[in-house]
mmCIF file of all heavy atoms in Angstrom:
data_model
loop_
_atom_site.group_PDB
_atom_site.id
_atom_site.type_symbol
_atom_site.label_atom_id
_atom_site.label_comp_id
_atom_site.label_asym_id
_atom_site.label_seq_id
_atom_site.Cartn_x
_atom_site.Cartn_y
_atom_site.Cartn_z
ATOM 1 N N ILE H 1 -69.938 27.280 37.814
ATOM 2 C CA ILE H 1 -69.422 26.558 38.927
ATOM 3 C C ILE H 1 -69.378 25.077 38.517
ATOM 4 O O ILE H 1 -70.360 24.379 38.351
ATOM 5 C CB ILE H 1 -70.366 26.671 40.166
ATOM 6 C CG1 ILE H 1 -70.708 28.164 40.446
ATOM 7 C CG2 ILE H 1 -69.715 26.002 41.400
ATOM 8 C CD1 ILE H 1 -69.572 29.037 40.838
ATOM 9 N N GLY H 2 -68.216 24.559 38.340
ATOM 10 C CA GLY H 2 -68.111 23.135 37.884
ATOM 11 C C GLY H 2 -67.777 23.071 36.403
ATOM 12 O O GLY H 2 -67.486 24.085 35.757
ATOM 13 N N PRO H 3 -67.778 21.846 35.846
ATOM 14 C CA PRO H 3 -68.239 20.666 36.436
ATOM 15 C C PRO H 3 -67.230 19.981 37.375
ATOM 16 O O PRO H 3 -67.540 18.876 37.899
ATOM 17 C CB PRO H 3 -68.571 19.739 35.256
ATOM 18 C CG PRO H 3 -67.631 20.214 34.167
ATOM 19 C CD PRO H 3 -67.457 21.680 34.376
ATOM 20 N N GLN H 4 -66.048 20.555 37.625
ATOM 21 C CA GLN H 4 -65.070 19.898 38.527
ATOM 22 C C GLN H 4 -64.902 20.709 39.799
ATOM 23 O O GLN H 4 -63.813 20.781 40.351
ATOM 24 C CB GLN H 4 -63.748 19.678 37.863
ATOM 25 C CG GLN H 4 -63.686 18.434 36.976
ATOM 26 C CD GLN H 4 -64.230 18.707 35.561
ATOM 27 O OE1 GLN H 4 -64.139 19.777 35.074
ATOM 28 N NE2 GLN H 4 -64.879 17.702 35.036
ATOM 29 N N HIS H 5 -65.935 21.336 40.290
ATOM 30 C CA HIS H 5 -65.707 22.219 41.459
ATOM 31 C C HIS H 5 -65.762 21.401 42.741
ATOM 32 O O HIS H 5 -66.618 20.486 42.875
ATOM 33 C CB HIS H 5 -66.857 23.277 41.501
ATOM 34 C CG HIS H 5 -66.519 24.451 42.362
ATOM 35 N ND1 HIS H 5 -66.790 24.403 43.722
ATOM 36 C CD2 HIS H 5 -65.960 25.602 42.165
ATOM 37 C CE1 HIS H 5 -66.391 25.521 44.271
ATOM 38 N NE2 HIS H 5 -65.906 26.291 43.351
ATOM 39 N N PRO H 6 -64.905 21.673 43.715
ATOM 40 C CA PRO H 6 -64.880 20.824 44.916
ATOM 41 C C PRO H 6 -66.166 21.054 45.791
ATOM 42 O O PRO H 6 -66.333 20.354 46.771
ATOM 43 C CB PRO H 6 -63.632 21.359 45.659
ATOM 44 C CG PRO H 6 -63.352 22.665 45.039
ATOM 45 C CD PRO H 6 -63.789 22.623 43.683
ATOM 46 N N ALA H 7 -66.996 21.998 45.463
ATOM 47 C CA ALA H 7 -68.157 22.261 46.261
ATOM 48 C C ALA H 7 -69.320 21.332 45.908
ATOM 49 O O ALA H 7 -70.417 21.411 46.472
ATOM 50 C CB ALA H 7 -68.639 23.677 46.038
ATOM 51 N N THR H 8 -69.097 20.426 44.987
ATOM 52 C CA THR H 8 -70.234 19.551 44.558
ATOM 53 C C THR H 8 -70.045 18.070 44.866
ATOM 54 O O THR H 8 -68.935 17.623 45.011
ATOM 55 C CB THR H 8 -70.454 19.685 43.046
ATOM 56 O OG1 THR H 8 -69.256 19.289 42.357
ATOM 57 C CG2 THR H 8 -70.732 21.106 42.636
ATOM 58 N N HIS H 9 -71.175 17.377 45.094
ATOM 59 C CA HIS H 9 -71.130 15.940 45.294
ATOM 60 C C HIS H 9 -71.132 15.270 43.945
ATOM 61 O O HIS H 9 -72.186 14.843 43.410
ATOM 62 C CB HIS H 9 -72.368 15.539 46.093
ATOM 63 C CG HIS H 9 -72.389 16.006 47.492
ATOM 64 N ND1 HIS H 9 -71.599 15.489 48.501
ATOM 65 C CD2 HIS H 9 -73.027 17.078 48.017
ATOM 66 C CE1 HIS H 9 -71.870 16.171 49.564
ATOM 67 N NE2 HIS H 9 -72.692 17.127 49.308
ATOM 68 N N GLY H 10 -70.031 15.067 43.339
ATOM 69 C CA GLY H 10 -69.968 14.414 41.992
ATOM 70 C C GLY H 10 -69.844 15.506 40.933
ATOM 71 O O GLY H 10 -69.401 16.604 41.211
ATOM 72 N N VAL H 11 -70.269 15.195 39.716
ATOM 73 C CA VAL H 11 -70.021 16.069 38.645
ATOM 74 C C VAL H 11 -71.275 16.811 38.256
ATOM 75 O O VAL H 11 -72.107 16.412 37.415
ATOM 76 C CB VAL H 11 -69.567 15.277 37.384
ATOM 77 C CG1 VAL H 11 -69.023 16.197 36.317
ATOM 78 C CG2 VAL H 11 -68.444 14.285 37.792
ATOM 79 N N LEU H 12 -71.489 17.952 38.893
ATOM 80 C CA LEU H 12 -72.639 18.833 38.625
ATOM 81 C C LEU H 12 -72.088 20.190 38.197
ATOM 82 O O LEU H 12 -71.038 20.635 38.685
ATOM 83 C CB LEU H 12 -73.475 19.047 39.914
ATOM 84 C CG LEU H 12 -74.585 20.026 39.779
ATOM 85 C CD1 LEU H 12 -75.768 19.408 38.990
ATOM 86 C CD2 LEU H 12 -75.122 20.431 41.166
ATOM 87 N N ARG H 13 -72.792 20.813 37.234
ATOM 88 C CA ARG H 13 -72.328 22.166 36.807
ATOM 89 C C ARG H 13 -73.484 23.114 37.155
ATOM 90 O O ARG H 13 -74.622 22.820 36.842
ATOM 91 C CB ARG H 13 -72.030 22.142 35.360
ATOM 92 C CG ARG H 13 -71.706 23.540 34.801
ATOM 93 C CD ARG H 13 -71.334 23.413 33.342
ATOM 94 N NE ARG H 13 -71.613 24.622 32.605
ATOM 95 C CZ ARG H 13 -72.084 24.708 31.344
ATOM 96 N NH1 ARG H 13 -72.372 23.597 30.765
ATOM 97 N NH2 ARG H 13 -72.292 25.882 30.791
ATOM 98 N N LEU H 14 -73.151 24.269 37.728
ATOM 99 C CA LEU H 14 -74.138 25.306 38.019
ATOM 100 C C LEU H 14 -73.781 26.551 37.186
ATOM 101 O O LEU H 14 -72.645 27.025 37.214
ATOM 102 C CB LEU H 14 -74.123 25.635 39.477
ATOM 103 C CG LEU H 14 -74.965 24.903 40.469
ATOM 104 C CD1 LEU H 14 -74.812 25.478 41.876
ATOM 105 C CD2 LEU H 14 -76.403 25.004 40.062
ATOM 106 N N LYS H 15 -74.715 26.959 36.367
ATOM 107 C CA LYS H 15 -74.524 28.158 35.579
ATOM 108 C C LYS H 15 -75.243 29.267 36.273
ATOM 109 O O LYS H 15 -76.471 29.314 36.307
ATOM 110 C CB LYS H 15 -75.043 27.949 34.166
ATOM 111 C CG LYS H 15 -74.757 29.049 33.225
ATOM 112 C CD LYS H 15 -75.294 28.717 31.808
ATOM 113 C CE LYS H 15 -75.122 29.887 30.863
ATOM 114 N NZ LYS H 15 -75.782 29.640 29.586
ATOM 115 N N VAL H 16 -74.498 30.194 36.940
ATOM 116 C CA VAL H 16 -75.212 31.283 37.633
ATOM 117 C C VAL H 16 -74.899 32.624 37.038
ATOM 118 O O VAL H 16 -73.776 32.853 36.478
ATOM 119 C CB VAL H 16 -74.670 31.263 39.126
ATOM 120 C CG1 VAL H 16 -75.109 29.999 39.846
ATOM 121 C CG2 VAL H 16 -73.213 31.436 39.267
ATOM 122 N N VAL H 17 -75.914 33.493 37.105
ATOM 123 C CA VAL H 17 -75.766 34.894 36.674
ATOM 124 C C VAL H 17 -75.647 35.764 37.893
ATOM 125 O O VAL H 17 -76.554 35.627 38.758
ATOM 126 C CB VAL H 17 -76.943 35.315 35.761
ATOM 127 C CG1 VAL H 17 -76.803 36.785 35.362
ATOM 128 C CG2 VAL H 17 -76.993 34.434 34.492
ATOM 129 N N LEU H 18 -74.637 36.520 38.003
ATOM 130 C CA LEU H 18 -74.378 37.345 39.183
ATOM 131 C C LEU H 18 -74.529 38.828 38.938
ATOM 132 O O LEU H 18 -74.220 39.305 37.841
ATOM 133 C CB LEU H 18 -72.929 37.122 39.734
ATOM 134 C CG LEU H 18 -72.526 35.690 40.086
ATOM 135 C CD1 LEU H 18 -71.037 35.671 40.468
ATOM 136 C CD2 LEU H 18 -73.354 35.150 41.190
ATOM 137 N N ASP H 19 -75.075 39.479 39.975
ATOM 138 C CA ASP H 19 -75.074 40.950 39.979
ATOM 139 C C ASP H 19 -74.241 41.328 41.145
ATOM 140 O O ASP H 19 -74.714 41.329 42.286
ATOM 141 C CB ASP H 19 -76.539 41.499 40.096
ATOM 142 C CG ASP H 19 -76.573 43.005 40.146
ATOM 143 O OD1 ASP H 19 -75.553 43.637 39.886
ATOM 144 O OD2 ASP H 19 -77.608 43.557 40.475
ATOM 145 N N GLY H 20 -72.989 41.650 40.934
ATOM 146 C CA GLY H 20 -72.035 41.796 42.066
ATOM 147 C C GLY H 20 -71.808 40.416 42.718
ATOM 148 O O GLY H 20 -71.402 39.468 42.048
ATOM 149 N N GLU H 21 -72.127 40.310 44.016
ATOM 150 C CA GLU H 21 -72.031 39.031 44.651
ATOM 151 C C GLU H 21 -73.385 38.347 44.825
ATOM 152 O O GLU H 21 -73.507 37.238 45.351
ATOM 153 C CB GLU H 21 -71.414 39.214 46.052
ATOM 154 C CG GLU H 21 -69.952 39.456 46.023
ATOM 155 C CD GLU H 21 -69.322 39.243 47.432
ATOM 156 O OE1 GLU H 21 -69.807 38.410 48.176
ATOM 157 O OE2 GLU H 21 -68.344 39.959 47.725
ATOM 158 N N ARG H 22 -74.450 38.922 44.316
ATOM 159 C CA ARG H 22 -75.791 38.397 44.439
ATOM 160 C C ARG H 22 -76.117 37.533 43.238
ATOM 161 O O ARG H 22 -75.949 37.938 42.083
ATOM 162 C CB ARG H 22 -76.760 39.612 44.589
ATOM 163 C CG ARG H 22 -78.177 39.191 44.970
ATOM 164 C CD ARG H 22 -78.321 38.887 46.459
ATOM 165 N NE ARG H 22 -77.864 39.906 47.381
ATOM 166 C CZ ARG H 22 -77.857 39.750 48.702
ATOM 167 N NH1 ARG H 22 -78.272 38.622 49.191
ATOM 168 N NH2 ARG H 22 -77.418 40.693 49.489
ATOM 169 N N ILE H 23 -76.665 36.365 43.513
ATOM 170 C CA ILE H 23 -77.078 35.468 42.392
ATOM 171 C C ILE H 23 -78.450 35.903 41.894
ATOM 172 O O ILE H 23 -79.450 36.066 42.606
ATOM 173 C CB ILE H 23 -77.138 34.031 42.941
ATOM 174 C CG1 ILE H 23 -75.760 33.517 43.375
ATOM 175 C CG2 ILE H 23 -77.714 33.066 41.873
ATOM 176 C CD1 ILE H 23 -75.752 32.163 44.061
ATOM 177 N N VAL H 24 -78.502 36.118 40.559
ATOM 178 C CA VAL H 24 -79.730 36.536 39.894
ATOM 179 C C VAL H 24 -80.523 35.290 39.415
ATOM 180 O O VAL H 24 -81.723 35.109 39.697
ATOM 181 C CB VAL H 24 -79.431 37.478 38.730
ATOM 182 C CG1 VAL H 24 -80.773 37.932 38.075
ATOM 183 C CG2 VAL H 24 -78.683 38.666 39.246
ATOM 184 N N THR H 25 -79.829 34.440 38.702
ATOM 185 C CA THR H 25 -80.440 33.195 38.249
ATOM 186 C C THR H 25 -79.424 32.058 38.404
ATOM 187 O O THR H 25 -78.205 32.308 38.378
ATOM 188 C CB THR H 25 -80.886 33.262 36.733
ATOM 189 O OG1 THR H 25 -79.670 33.422 35.944
ATOM 190 C CG2 THR H 25 -81.892 34.325 36.490
ATOM 191 N N ALA H 26 -79.934 30.858 38.559
ATOM 192 C CA ALA H 26 -79.076 29.666 38.712
ATOM 193 C C ALA H 26 -79.614 28.529 37.922
ATOM 194 O O ALA H 26 -80.854 28.254 38.030
ATOM 195 C CB ALA H 26 -78.899 29.307 40.160
ATOM 196 N N GLU H 27 -78.818 27.884 37.090
ATOM 197 C CA GLU H 27 -79.332 26.755 36.290
ATOM 198 C C GLU H 27 -78.403 25.554 36.530
ATOM 199 O O GLU H 27 -77.238 25.580 36.156
ATOM 200 C CB GLU H 27 -79.300 27.146 34.790
ATOM 201 C CG GLU H 27 -79.805 26.000 33.899
ATOM 202 C CD GLU H 27 -79.489 26.339 32.416
ATOM 203 O OE1 GLU H 27 -79.052 27.436 32.115
ATOM 204 O OE2 GLU H 27 -79.654 25.422 31.615
ATOM 205 N N PRO H 28 -78.970 24.490 37.125
ATOM 206 C CA PRO H 28 -78.186 23.255 37.292
ATOM 207 C C PRO H 28 -78.030 22.556 35.916
ATOM 208 O O PRO H 28 -79.062 22.385 35.164
ATOM 209 C CB PRO H 28 -78.986 22.392 38.225
ATOM 210 C CG PRO H 28 -80.109 23.228 38.723
ATOM 211 C CD PRO H 28 -80.289 24.293 37.712
ATOM 212 N N VAL H 29 -76.852 22.241 35.482
ATOM 213 C CA VAL H 29 -76.587 21.596 34.194
ATOM 214 C C VAL H 29 -76.215 20.152 34.577
ATOM 215 O O VAL H 29 -75.156 19.927 35.158
ATOM 216 C CB VAL H 29 -75.515 22.270 33.400
ATOM 217 C CG1 VAL H 29 -75.328 21.539 32.032
ATOM 218 C CG2 VAL H 29 -75.848 23.695 33.208
ATOM 219 N N ILE H 30 -77.066 19.199 34.151
ATOM 220 C CA ILE H 30 -76.876 17.810 34.597
ATOM 221 C C ILE H 30 -76.514 16.957 33.371
ATOM 222 O O ILE H 30 -76.576 17.397 32.239
ATOM 223 C CB ILE H 30 -78.088 17.251 35.361
ATOM 224 C CG1 ILE H 30 -79.314 17.221 34.411
ATOM 225 C CG2 ILE H 30 -78.367 18.071 36.617
ATOM 226 C CD1 ILE H 30 -80.510 16.571 34.976
ATOM 227 N N GLY H 31 -76.219 15.699 33.644
ATOM 228 C CA GLY H 31 -75.973 14.727 32.536
ATOM 229 C C GLY H 31 -74.522 14.318 32.389
ATOM 230 O O GLY H 31 -74.194 13.459 31.523
ATOM 231 N N TYR H 32 -73.592 14.865 33.167
ATOM 232 C CA TYR H 32 -72.199 14.522 32.993
ATOM 233 C C TYR H 32 -71.893 13.102 33.358
ATOM 234 O O TYR H 32 -70.881 12.499 32.933
ATOM 235 C CB TYR H 32 -71.291 15.455 33.807
ATOM 236 C CG TYR H 32 -71.274 16.879 33.253
ATOM 237 C CD1 TYR H 32 -72.133 17.852 33.732
ATOM 238 C CD2 TYR H 32 -70.395 17.197 32.287
ATOM 239 C CE1 TYR H 32 -72.153 19.151 33.228
ATOM 240 C CE2 TYR H 32 -70.366 18.500 31.742
ATOM 241 C CZ TYR H 32 -71.219 19.449 32.213
ATOM 242 O OH TYR H 32 -71.204 20.706 31.720
#
């Protein structure tokens, strides 16, 4: 998700692992 996703306040990237529609893990990637 990102780093240019309209769902974020600024430039944040979210790296998510999905099982179907369910989020298993989520890692915010910062520093942009």
